[in-house]
């Protein structure tokens, strides 16, 4: 369930990227993922773990969506296939 929340968050990243750019969204996703990971190491209850995993999943979803868009924009189609395979 927590992972599906991250995939849902990835769908909402596109319009945000169009408004503010890809770099701030990518950095924000990395910060959210890292903060969620560190917080998961210092949990005190199962509810806190679920909350921090949701934060982590949201950041991971954003990073996956934005990195795919960056590869699509920066590389030609014949090179893009190998890079998409490498990233997954």
């Amino acid at each position: 369930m927590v992972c599906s929340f991250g995939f849902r968050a990835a769908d909402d990243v596109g319009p945000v990227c169009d408004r503010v750019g890809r770099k701030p969204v990518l950095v924000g996703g990395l910060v959210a993922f890292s903060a969620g990971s560190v917080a998961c190491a210092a949990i005190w209850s199962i509810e806190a773990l679920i909350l921090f995993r949701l934060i982590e999943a949201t950041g991971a979803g954003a990073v996956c969506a934005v990195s795919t868009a960056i590869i699509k924009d920066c590389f030609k189609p014949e090179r893009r296939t190998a890079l998409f395979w490498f990233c997954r």
Side-chain angles (χ1 to χ4, degrees):
M1 162 133 168
V2 174
C3 290
S4 64
F5 184 79
F7 290 130
R8 174 66 184 108
D11 291 339
D12 298 333
V13 169
V16 175
C17 285
D18 292 339
R19 278 187 230 118
V20 298
R22 292 202 171 102
K23 186 175 181 179
V25 176
L26 180 66
V27 170
L30 288 171
V31 168
F33 179 77
S34 299
S37 297
V38 170
C40 282
I43 60 156
W44 55 89
S45 68
I46 192 68
E47 292 83 10
L49 177 64
I50 293 170
L51 173 69
F52 295 139
R53 285 288 294 149
L54 286 172
I55 294 169
E56 190 178 24
T58 303
V63 169
C64 282
V66 175
S67 63
T68 302
I70 290 172
I71 289 172
K72 187 178 101 27
D73 288 344
C74 293
F75 295 97
K76 295 179 182 177
E78 54 273 359
R79 180 81 174 118
R80 206 180 298 163
T81 306
L83 291 170
F84 282 144
W85 177 84
F86 181 73
C87 288
R88 300 287 174 205

